[in-house]
Structure formats: C-alpha cells, structure tokens
Amino acid sequence: MDQGSRDFPELLYFGYGDTPSHGMHSHEFYQIEFCISGVIPCLTPEETVELQPGELWLIPPGLSHRFLKSEEKYRYITLKFQSDAVIHSFSGRDQVCGTLCNAISNIIKHDAGIDPNSADAKFVIETMLAGIIARLSKHPASRHGEPIICSAIRELVSRYGYNVNIPFAAQKLNMSRSQLHYKFSKSTGGSTDIKSFIEDLLLHLAEKHLRYSPMNISEIAAELNFPSIYSFSRFFKRKTGLSPLEMRKSENH
C-alpha cells in the first residue's frame, strides 16, 4: 500500500445504513454517503440535499449535517476516511464515482469474492477512494458554483479552523503566497481579500456551532483550534460586537 502518496486516503469505517441521524453533528474526517435505494433527505444549517439512487454526497470535515426520516425506506453505504488532499464539496451524480461506490458496495455485501473485514478489502476500498478523490478534485467548482480556490480555502478552514492563515493555506495548497494572492484575486475579482475571507469563514463556523452544537463555548474554541477561550471570545466580539455567550443566549430566546 502506497501510504507515502499525499492523496492516498486512510479508511476509518465503511458499512450499510438505513436510519436517520439522531441530530445535527459534524466530525473531523471526510464522509461519503452513496444512495443505494430510496431518497435520502440530508440537512445542513444552510440547505437541504436529497440523494437519489446512484447519487453521492461528500461531506467535508467540520460541516454540520444530519440525515432525516423519509416516508420511503432508504438504504446507503457510508465511507468515513482521512485524507490530506483538499476535496471539494460535492453532491449529485458522477458516473465514475458511482461505479466505484457500487464496487465498494459489492465488497461490503460479500459479492466480490473478498472478506470485507480483511486487510485486502481495506486496501482495495482505499484504492477506490483514491480514485473518487482524484475524480472529485477535477470538478471545476463546488456544488454552489463557488470558485475552486475559494472552495479549497473554505475546506481548509472547516478542517483546521483558527490555524488557517495565508502562509498555512499557501503551504497546504502547494502554492507560494504570491500565487495564492493572484489566484484568489483573479477568482473573486478583487471583491475581498484572503484574510477577510478566512476570518468570515471562521466566524460562520463559530456561529453554526453556537447555534446548533451541544458543546460549551470552551469546547467550541478548542474544536476551532483557538489557543484559548479568551482569544475565541476576542475574535468573535471583534467580528460581531457580541460575545459568544451573548450570541448563544440571543439565539435561545
């Protein structure tokens, strides 16, 4: 297994599912849901996604989401994995990804002549995941039509939180700082600067946690990689005029 490859994923979990989530949640790893049958209603704080049979949803780290009940019974496979590659958010149908997901489904169902719990099965699934990552990385933009550089920075902030700054983003995206500035300015038409964009993304994550997460403020600060609750509070008040506690109380009224 070529674990030296930067884009080679580490499989954490795979299996079938047919039940809704208990509530809105997020996690530090990537997740793919591939719809086998039925229609799966999926919810984030910003939108609803409905997966039809043969469609997949790639959920990046840090994105709050849940799966809702449906009148029609549904069934899906779940793939949870770590990857150093920056993978763009995607929901919908892709023929190549669908073929790979169906092949993974066959392994899970014992229909591929290989024990799904074996090291060989893990290797094969990770290899197919690498193919899915390569495929999705070629999509020119996220499902929202956002420029690819903005989507890449968005997912870095979702994954690394407060640790993301311009040098960090340039390193993770294999660019020089000047290249990053140029591509960002060209993609956005100079409508905003990278520092403000990163801060706005971080603020949006913080607001989502304060609205929907059961974590306390200290835990949210740690989840977003702030060095302390005090630095989190200073950042949030500078951006909104409210402390995190004041914002959470206002949402609960």
Side-chain angles (χ1 to χ4, degrees):
M1 186 183 304
D2 181 15
Q3 293 291 358
S5 173
R6 181 178 181 273
D7 292 349
F8 203 89
E10 177 190 0
L11 181 66
L12 303 177
Y13 171 84
F14 65 90
Y16 276 106
D18 58 8
T19 57
S21 310
H22 292 299
M24 193 77 75
H25 63 287
S26 63
H27 35 62
E28 297 180 355
F29 46 80
Y30 285 96
Q31 181 170 334
I32 287 176
E33 301 297 308
F34 179 70
C35 182
I36 302 294
S37 62
V39 178
I40 309 173
C42 315
L43 181 68
T44 77
E46 297 178 342
E47 65 174 340
T48 299
V49 176
E50 287 194 345
L51 292 184
Q52 306 285 335
E55 294 183 340
L56 66 91
W57 186 23
L58 186 140
I59 305 166
L63 177 64
S64 295
H65 62 280
R66 67 174 300 187
F67 305 100
L68 306 176
K69 291 182 179 179
S70 175
E71 294 182 0
E72 180 183 1
K73 187 174 178 61
Y74 54 73
R75 191 163 178 78
Y76 56 87
I77 62 168
T78 297
L79 304 170
K80 300 178 180 180
F81 61 97
Q82 298 279 13
S83 175
D84 288 334
V86 177
I87 315 169
H88 313 306
S89 300
F90 179 83
S91 65
R93 190 178 305 276
D94 179 278
Q95 184 176 358
V96 173
C97 293
T99 299
L100 292 169
C101 285
N102 278 319
I104 293 171
S105 175
N106 288 335
I107 293 175
I108 299 172
K109 292 188 297 183
H110 295 258
D111 289 344
I114 183 173
D115 180 358
N117 298 312
S118 67
D120 287 343
K122 183 174 185 288
F123 170 70
V124 172
I125 293 174
E126 286 177 336
T127 303
M128 292 180 181
L129 269 175
I132 292 171
I133 290 170
R135 178 71 174 185
L136 294 182
S137 296
K138 292 179 180 179
H139 281 268
S142 73
R143 64 181 182 272
H144 302 295
E146 185 176 58
I148 190 171
I149 189 68
C150 296
S151 295
I153 294 172
R154 180 182 300 278
E155 293 184 18
L156 285 176
V157 175
S158 294
R159 187 168 187 179
Y160 298 104
Y162 183 75
N163 290 334
V164 179
N165 53 29
I166 294 171
F168 183 96
Q171 180 185 18
K172 286 292 184 181
L173 298 175
N174 295 317
M175 300 179 190
S176 67
R177 296 187 198 181
S178 60
Q179 287 175 324
L180 180 62
H181 278 289
Y182 172 76
K183 289 189 176 183
F184 183 84
S185 178
K186 184 177 179 181
S187 296
T188 61
S191 59
T192 187
D193 62 273
I194 302 178
K195 183 175 184 293
S196 296
F197 182 69
I198 291 172
E199 286 192 346
D200 288 345
L201 292 174
L202 186 58
L203 175 65
H204 183 59
L205 283 177
E207 289 175 333
K208 287 200 298 184
H209 279 298
L210 289 168
R211 288 191 178 105
Y212 304 108
S213 171
M215 292 187 291
N216 62 40
I217 291 172
S218 179
E219 290 169 333
I220 293 172
E223 175 73 14
L224 297 176
N225 289 317
F226 281 87
S228 69
I229 189 174
Y230 304 106
S231 61
F232 174 53
S233 296
R234 286 196 301 270
F235 167 82
F236 195 86
K237 190 156 190 175
R238 174 170 64 84
K239 297 292 289 185
T240 68
L242 298 173
S243 71
L245 182 59
E246 289 170 336
M247 189 270 190
R248 174 163 271 182
K249 285 182 176 178
S250 70
E251 290 293 323
N252 292 331
H253 286 314

